[in-house]
Amino acid sequence: MTSVTAIDESSFRYRGWRVVLACFLMAFFMFGFGLYGQGVYLAELQRVRGWPGTLVSGASTLSFLLTSLFIIFTDDLLVRIGLRALVLCGLAALGASTILLALATSLWELYLAYALMAVGWTGMGSVMIATVLNAWFQRRRGLALSLAFNGATCGGVVLVPALLALDGFIGFTWAMLVATSVMAIVLVPVIVALIERPTDEAGPMPAGHVSADGQDARAALSRRALLGRGGFWTMVLPFAIALLAQVGFIVHQVPFLEPLVGRATAGLAVTLMATMSMIGRLALGLFVDRLDPRLAAAVSMTSQAAALLLLLQTSNAAMLLLACAVYGFSVGNMITFPPLIIQREVDTSAFAMAMGLGTSVSGIVSAFGPGLVGFVHSLMGNYTMAFALCVVLDLVAASIVVQRPRVGDQLGRRRPT
């Protein structure tokens, strides 16, 4: 039998890179429909159905909260139904969600659609993508994750404008139905052909796999034990804090910039930040497998703090754009770093469990980012103290992420690298 160490993960012939393409497409549609598309739904459902924005926003909030709950059990679902079946279930749920959004005529249908979207995140979101790639890569995992997660940004850059263009030609309902059909046509054959458990000959075995005798390999580490380890919180808490600040800034970026530089330049700043997010992921992916991901994450968090400080110190359009570019360079990597740290410090069998719990914590905490920044802005009458708070949060996160687990806090046996 060919050993795992003999696998050349750098070779274009390695099957894992086709799995990366599948994960890229999963991220493209999941984040395109499930995150970036929500602004389209909010506007169109108010216009077409006449529903109040607060009710539509409430459904969106419910979706994200349910997602944070459901993903905790990703590892259980993996053991019960397997990688491919879980991804197909996620695709079916996302498709049902977008179809229901297109056809909904009552509020209960709207809320059901958003609840189904949460199931879609469970089968096709960042936890599943990281788990699938953890199954196929060891030495080039960082690059694989960076390439796959760039599909998320592309979903916002490509899918949302496409939805808006279709909406202008054929209306919201048909735009959603056509886009959903395209998703199914593209993803079903890709998932069936490429999403599978690797054999020993094909590459590393997946986290949370079931052994030949049917025993669950995760038994060595329970969720309660994981939550009780300080090492787990030094992996999870800093990213929850950093994402709290990041989501808060992103939501309030345009309201902050528009009075200073106008709507057109504020829009350019958003586009520039998204573009730099893609570049940052690719740049990190080329080198991250040779870096200490904890130190690299701390540098990224510190760079975001520096960019926010620059934003607060100038009203010059060029400098504001530069600050947004610097900030954007690390935006995408805030979801790339956690799986890289987890795979180094958590036993292979507990990877999906740790990713699910960690992403759930980050999702719940970061959901308060826009509200926190908005509250401080309302209290102080400007964004100075609100963004200064984000600077402090980034620096606190950077100081926590460099704290390595003490002896006794190791999360299972460490995986050899």
Side-chain angles (χ1 to χ4, degrees):
M1 179 181 293
T2 305
S3 67
V4 168
T5 56
I7 299 297
D8 182 9
E9 294 180 5
S10 298
S11 171
F12 286 115
R13 292 179 294 178
Y14 177 50
R15 184 172 173 81
W17 295 112
R18 283 169 278 175
V19 178
V20 170
L21 174 61
C23 290
F24 176 95
L25 292 172
M26 286 163 52
F28 177 90
F29 286 105
M30 187 66 249
F31 282 80
F33 279 121
L35 180 61
Y36 298 108
Q38 296 215 21
V40 178
Y41 314 149
L42 176 61
E44 289 302 305
L45 290 171
Q46 289 182 87
R47 183 181 65 84
V48 176
R49 306 298 184 206
W51 291 331
T54 51
L55 288 176
V56 181
S57 298
S60 178
T61 299
L62 173 67
S63 176
F64 287 127
L65 290 176
L66 287 176
T67 298
S68 297
L69 174 64
F70 293 165
I71 58 176
I72 295 175
F73 304 101
T74 302
D75 58 315
D76 297 299
L77 293 170
L78 281 170
V79 170
R80 288 181 181 277
I81 66 176
L83 288 173
R84 182 185 294 140
L86 182 52
V87 175
L88 286 172
C89 287
L91 173 60
L94 179 60
S97 171
T98 53
I99 291 172
L100 196 52
L101 281 172
L103 302 176
T105 57
S106 59
L107 287 174
W108 75 265
E109 292 173 320
L110 172 70
Y111 276 75
L112 176 59
Y114 275 98
L116 286 169
M117 193 175 291
V119 180
W121 278 109
T122 306
M124 288 175 49
S126 56
V127 173
M128 179 54 62
I129 290 171
T131 301
V132 169
L133 295 180
N134 185 64
W136 285 91
F137 290 90
Q138 287 185 5
R139 291 172 294 280
R140 303 299 290 166
R141 184 178 284 114
L143 178 59
L145 285 167
S146 297
L147 292 172
F149 281 135
N150 262 336
T153 306
C154 289
V157 173
V158 177
L159 185 56
V160 172
L163 276 176
L164 291 172
L166 283 171
D167 183 16
F169 281 109
I170 58 178
F172 176 69
T173 297
W174 280 105
M176 292 292 288
L177 294 177
V178 168
T180 301
S181 299
V182 171
M183 176 180 69
I185 291 169
V186 171
L187 280 187
V188 169
V190 167
I191 292 170
V192 171
L194 297 178
I195 300 298
E196 61 182 350
R197 297 179 184 275
T199 62
D200 287 340
E201 292 83 358
M205 287 300 294
H209 67 277
V210 179
S211 62
D213 61 2
Q215 296 299 310
D216 184 353
R218 303 164 305 144
L221 192 63
S222 67
R223 289 192 185 93
R224 180 177 295 181
L226 197 62
L227 291 170
R229 303 289 180 87
F232 172 76
W233 290 106
T234 65
M235 291 186 295
V236 170
L237 189 59
F239 292 101
I241 295 171
L243 286 170
L244 173 71
Q246 181 171 288
V247 173
F249 167 69
I250 289 174
V251 170
H252 290 271
Q253 181 184 13
V254 172
F256 168 74
L257 290 174
E258 189 174 351
L260 298 174
V261 295
R263 177 169 294 185
T265 304
L268 175 61
V270 174
T271 301
L272 180 61
M273 187 175 70
T275 303
M276 289 301 295
S277 173
M278 294 176 63
I279 295 172
R281 273 206 191 101
L282 289 173
L284 178 74
L286 294 174
F287 302 103
V288 72
D289 293 304
R290 298 173 227 163
L291 302 175
D292 182 332
R294 282 185 178 268
L295 290 178
V299 170
S300 293
M301 294 167 183
T302 304
S303 74
Q304 289 192 326
L308 288 175
L309 282 175
L310 179 58
L311 280 172
L312 293 174
Q313 297 299 318
T314 183
S315 59
N316 179 271
M319 296 302 292
L320 290 170
L321 289 173
L322 174 63
C324 289
V326 172
Y327 192 93
F329 191 80
S330 297
V331 163
N333 290 326
M334 286 302 114
I335 63 171
T336 303
F337 283 124
L340 294 175
I341 296 173
I342 289 172
Q343 67 87 17
R344 291 192 180 200
E345 300 183 12
V346 176
D347 185 75
T348 305
S349 62
F351 178 86
M353 182 194 302
M355 272 298 300
L357 284 172
T359 305
S360 175
V361 171
S362 294
I364 292 172
V365 173
S366 63
F368 292 95
L372 178 62
V373 172
F375 173 76
V376 177
H377 171 262
S378 298
L379 189 66
M380 305 304 297
N382 58 61
Y383 277 108
T384 301
M385 289 304 298
F387 287 173
L389 175 60
C390 291
V391 171
V392 172
L393 290 172
D394 278 326
L395 295 177
V396 169
S399 68
I400 296 174
V401 77
V402 294
Q403 304 301 315
R404 302 179 187 281
R406 297 172 298 175
V407 175
D409 271 337
Q410 293 292 333
L411 308 175
R413 64 184 184 281
R414 180 172 177 171
R415 182 186 193 135
T417 57

